[in-house]
Amino acid sequence: MDEISVLLPSVLQPLAGGQSVLTAPADAAVTVAGVLDTVTGGYPALSRRLRDETGKVRRYVNIYVNGNEIRRLQGLATEVSPGQELLIMQSVAGG
Amino acid sequence: MATADSYVLAIGTKKGLWLASSPDRTAWSLSGPHFLMSEVPSIAIDTRQGGTRVLAGVRSEHWGPTVFHSDDLGASWNEPEQGAIRFPEGTEAALERVWQIHPDAESRPGVVWAGCEPISVWKSTDGGEHFELNRGLWDHPHRSQWGAGYGGAAAHSIVVDPTGEKVHIAMSTGGVYRSLDGGTSWEPRNKGISAYFMPDPNPEFGQCVHKIAADASVEGRLYAQNHHGVYRTDDDAEHWESIAEGLPADFGFVMLTHPRRAGTAWVIPLKADGERIPPEGRLAVHRTSDAGASWTRLEAGLPQAEFNSVLRDAACVDAAEPAGVYFGTRGGSVYASADEGETFAEVASHLPDVLCVRAAAVSPAGAAVPDVALTAQVPHG
C-alpha cells in the first residue's frame, strides 16, 4: 500500500513525538480531512493546533497540496493521491 | 499568622508568561518567558489542595487556545491531551480565548471556574484539567443579543458565594447575570448600571461591565467597574448605586477587593473611553475603606508620567497581612505593593503588554502555606 506524507513545521514536532513527517496509508485518493484524521488520531494535542472543535482549519494554519494552499482548492475536501505530500506551515502574520 | 516562605507573582502578557518570586514581597526575581509568542490572558494560582497549581490560559495566534497547568511553579507544564476546555459537539462553537480561571472557595477544593470567549462559563471538578460547559448560560435566550467589547465577547468575572449556590458573572457587553442555583439558571441583574451607549440607557442587560468583585465579608455586597461608572450593590445585584464620587474618572477596568476587610476595594481610573490613559498621564491607584463613600489616591512609588492603561485582570491582591496589591500596564511595567497600596515598587519593566497578574504565598517546595487566615478568602481579582 502506498502512503501520503504530512510534513510538520518544527514548532509542532514535539506534539507528534518528535517526528517531522507523519504518514497515512492510502491506496486511493482521500480528502485532506481524512489524512489529518488519520495522522493526528494518536496526537490529539497536535490535532487541536491544526483544527478547532468544529473541525475548521485554524485561520493562520496553511496546508499545501503539491504547493497549492487548500483554501484555493476545495479546502478540507481537497483530494490527495497516494504518493503526494501535505505540507503544513504557519502564516507569516502578527507582530 | 504564619509567615509565608515565599511569594509568587505570575505575569501573563501578550507574548508569554513571566513568574516572579520573592521572600518578602520587596525584592523580586523574575523568570521567563514561558509560552513565548503566545498570549496569556488568564492565570490562577491554586493553593487549596496541599500544593501549588498554576493554571494558565494560553493562546497562540497560529495554533489556538488551550489551558496548561504546572504543579512545580513553572518548571514543567502539562496540557490535557484532549484539551481542558472544548465546546461539545452540537454547539457549533470553538474556543477563542480563556479570559478567567477562578478557583472556587477553600471548602470546594478541585472546583475551578472558567470564563471564556465566545461568551461562556465552564466548571471543573478536577482542579482545572477538564471543564464542563455551563449549559444554563450557553442556552440562555439572551445570548444572541449579548455583544462584544473591544477585546472580544467573553465572560470575564466569576464570583461564587461561600455556599456555592449564588454565582455572579459579568461580561462585556452583556452585563451582570446572577444564578441562585449554583449556575443552573441565570437572570440579568443590572438595575442602576448605565449603558449610555445604547438607545435605552437603562436596559435589562447589555451593560459594559469591565469587572466585578465581592466584598470580603458583607454578604450581598459587590462592586463593579463599568465602562464609565463605578458601582456597589448591597443586595446581591438587585440594585446598583454609583460610588464614583471622589474618583478622578469613572472609567477603568480594574476592581479589586480586600481578602478580609469589609468595605475595602481598589480601582485604577483611566480618563475616559475616548482617552484610555491615566487622568493627566498620572498613574494612581484609588482605595476606599468605606465601601465607596470616599476614595484615597495612592501613587507613592509610581512613575511621574504613565500613558499606558491597566487591563481588567492585570491587577490582583494577595491574601497576606497586610494585603499585597499588584498591577501591570500595557507598557509592560509591573508594580507591587506589600502594604495595601500605600507604596509601590516596580517589579518588572519593558515586558510585552500585561494582560493578567496573580500573586500568592507559597512554600519553596510549592506547597501551600498551612495558614487558615492566609487562605480564608480566594481573591476575586
Side-chain angles (χ1 to χ4, degrees):
Chain A
M1 180 178 286
D2 213 335
E3 59 188 22
I4 295 168
S5 301
V6 178
L7 280 61
L8 297 174
S10 58
V11 68
L12 293 182
Q13 291 169 16
L15 299 175
Q19 301 174 86
S20 60
V21 181
L22 299 175
T23 56
D27 52 14
V30 292
T31 64
V32 170
V35 175
L36 293 179
D37 288 345
T38 299
V39 300
T40 65
Y43 305 110
L46 171 64
S47 178
R48 289 188 288 109
R49 297 306 195 276
L50 303 178
R51 292 184 287 178
D52 67 25
E53 299 99 302
T54 68
K56 188 177 172 185
V57 177
R58 295 194 183 280
R59 181 179 177 186
Y60 295 120
V61 172
N62 300 326
I63 302 174
Y64 295 85
V65 176
N66 279 351
N68 295 307
E69 210 274 315
I70 63 169
R71 292 184 180 90
R72 300 190 206 105
L73 303 173
Q74 283 77 51
L76 286 168
T78 302
E79 289 201 332
V80 192
S81 299
Q84 288 189 314
E85 289 179 343
L86 287 186
L87 175 62
I88 296 174
M89 300 180 75
Q90 67 261 47
S91 292
V92 180
Chain B
M1 180 176 292
T3 301
D5 292 306
S6 66
Y7 296 85
V8 62
L9 170 62
I11 305 163
T13 79
K14 188 74 175 171
K15 294 183 180 178
L17 169 69
W18 277 259
L19 295 172
S21 60
S22 173
D24 57 5
R25 298 187 297 174
T26 300
W28 293 88
S29 58
L30 201 63
S31 68
H34 306 260
F35 313 114
L36 181 62
M37 289 310 293
S38 290
E39 68 172 20
V40 180
S42 52
I43 299 171
I45 303 173
D46 188 353
T47 58
R48 293 172 300 167
Q49 298 197 78
T52 298
R53 170 164 287 189
V54 180
L55 292 140
V58 178
R59 177 178 176 271
S60 161
E61 198 70 56
H62 290 98
W63 314 115
T66 190
V67 179
F68 283 92
H69 64 268
S70 173
D71 294 328
D72 51 17
L73 292 175
S76 62
W77 294 92
N78 300 297
E79 176 192 23
E81 279 228 320
Q82 300 295 340
I85 299 177
R86 286 178 63 84
F87 276 92
E89 285 186 22
T91 57
E92 297 178 1
L95 181 67
E96 291 289 334
R97 183 181 280 116
V98 181
W99 282 57
Q100 183 80 180
I101 303 173
H102 179 73
D104 204 315
E106 194 73 24
S107 58
R108 292 184 289 277
V111 177
V112 180
W113 296 74
C116 294
E117 175 187 353
I119 295 171
S120 55
V121 166
W122 304 68
K123 185 178 180 182
S124 168
T125 56
D126 62 2
E129 296 191 30
H130 304 91
F131 289 80
E132 184 175 347
L133 176 65
N134 182 292
R135 283 284 185 173
L137 191 70
W138 184 255
D139 296 330
H140 200 285
H142 293 173
R143 186 165 68 86
S144 64
Q145 299 172 67
W146 295 334
Y150 180 73
H156 55 66
S157 300
I158 301 167
V159 175
V160 188
D161 89 329
T163 70
E165 292 301 305
K166 196 160 51 190
V167 187
H168 290 83
I169 63 163
M171 60 185 94
S172 312
T173 51
V176 175
Y177 277 68
R178 186 184 74 187
S179 173
L180 296 175
D181 52 17
T184 302
S185 62
W186 300 86
E187 296 289 343
R189 284 294 179 272
N190 299 289
K191 192 174 181 182
I193 298 182
S194 172
Y196 72 92
F197 46 84
M198 295 179 72
D200 174 2
N202 299 295
E204 182 185 23
F205 62 93
Q207 283 80 355
C208 188
V209 178
H210 288 167
K211 199 69 194 170
I212 61 172
D215 192 271
S217 58
V218 177
E219 188 178 348
R221 176 180 286 173
L222 295 97
Y223 306 86
Q225 170 66 67
N226 200 58
H227 186 105
H228 280 307
V230 182
Y231 297 93
R232 189 192 75 230
T233 176
D234 290 325
D235 55 10
D236 280 322
E238 290 292 335
H239 304 84
W240 295 87
E241 63 178 274
S242 175
I243 55 170
E245 181 77 26
L247 289 169
D250 67 355
F251 191 89
F253 293 100
V254 169
M255 177 56 78
L256 302 173
T257 49
H258 196 282
R260 291 170 299 279
R261 194 155 59 247
T264 295
W266 296 263
V267 294
I268 303 178
L270 301 178
K271 183 175 181 183
D273 54 352
E275 297 180 29
R276 298 184 185 202
I277 62 170
E280 301 176 351
R282 293 181 59 213
L283 179 64
V285 176
H286 283 70
R287 182 182 64 205
T288 181
S289 55
D290 51 17
S294 64
W295 294 91
T296 300
R297 181 182 179 91
L298 306 169
E299 57 186 340
L302 298 179
Q304 291 285 310
E306 173 61 83
F307 295 95
N308 290 287
S309 57
V310 180
L311 298 177
R312 72 188 81 242
D313 274 308
C316 71
V317 294
D318 67 25
E321 181 61 43
V325 179
Y326 309 81
F327 71 92
T329 73
R330 297 201 71 180
S333 288
V334 180
Y335 301 96
S337 166
D339 53 11
E340 311 209 337
E342 291 293 332
T343 56
F344 284 92
E346 193 175 54
V347 172
S349 59
H350 307 299
L351 296 179
D353 318 33
V354 178
L355 305 180
C356 58
V357 297
R358 289 294 184 271
V362 298
S363 77
V369 178
D371 186 323
V372 173
L374 277 175
T375 54
Q377 178 82 15
V378 177
H380 290 298

